[in-house]
Amino acid sequence: MTDHPYAGLWVTADGRIRHELLPEGRYVEARGTRERAYTGRYTVTGAHIDYVDDTGFTADGDFVDADTLHHAGMVLTRRAE
């Protein structure tokens, strides 16, 4: 997934949830002050993303446009890192 178009930092409007989608198919999720609350891998098929964290928990979401991700009832937007 090198140079994947969705790689980068995605953040909720309040900044509490932050997903960093790394180009190699890994992610790091920060929650509040916990910078590495969850880590795992992700795959993207079209505009759909599937997450599997390192404990085996799964989640998914959809990119509604190039800068907006809907995930687990949240809206995250792309941010410059």
Side-chain angles (χ1 to χ4, degrees), residues 9-20 28-38 74-77 79:
L9 184 62
W10 297 82
V11 182
T12 56
D14 62 5
R16 181 167 149 45
I17 309 296
R18 299 170 305 283
H19 290 187
E20 184 177 5
V28 177
E29 180 177 323
R31 287 185 172 249
T33 60
R34 291 181 56 205
E35 286 302 318
R36 294 182 64 86
Y38 301 98
M74 297 178 282
V75 175
L76 294 92
T77 56
R79 296 280 171 89

Side-chain angles (χ1 to χ4, degrees), residues 1-74:
M1 267 199 249
T2 304
D3 298 323
H4 196 281
Y6 296 119
L9 184 62
W10 297 82
V11 182
T12 56
D14 62 5
R16 181 167 149 45
I17 309 296
R18 299 170 305 283
H19 290 187
E20 184 177 5
L21 301 181
L22 304 170
E24 68 272 11
R26 298 277 305 161
Y27 74 91
V28 177
E29 180 177 323
R31 287 185 172 249
T33 60
R34 291 181 56 205
E35 286 302 318
R36 294 182 64 86
Y38 301 98
T39 60
R41 60 187 161 78
Y42 71 91
T43 56
V44 175
T45 306
H48 183 81
I49 185 169
D50 289 296
Y51 298 89
V52 179
D53 82 10
D54 291 335
T55 67
F57 179 79
T58 62
D60 66 353
D62 294 292
F63 296 95
V64 296
D65 60 38
D67 295 314
T68 309
L69 167 60
H70 289 185
H71 165 70
M74 297 178 282

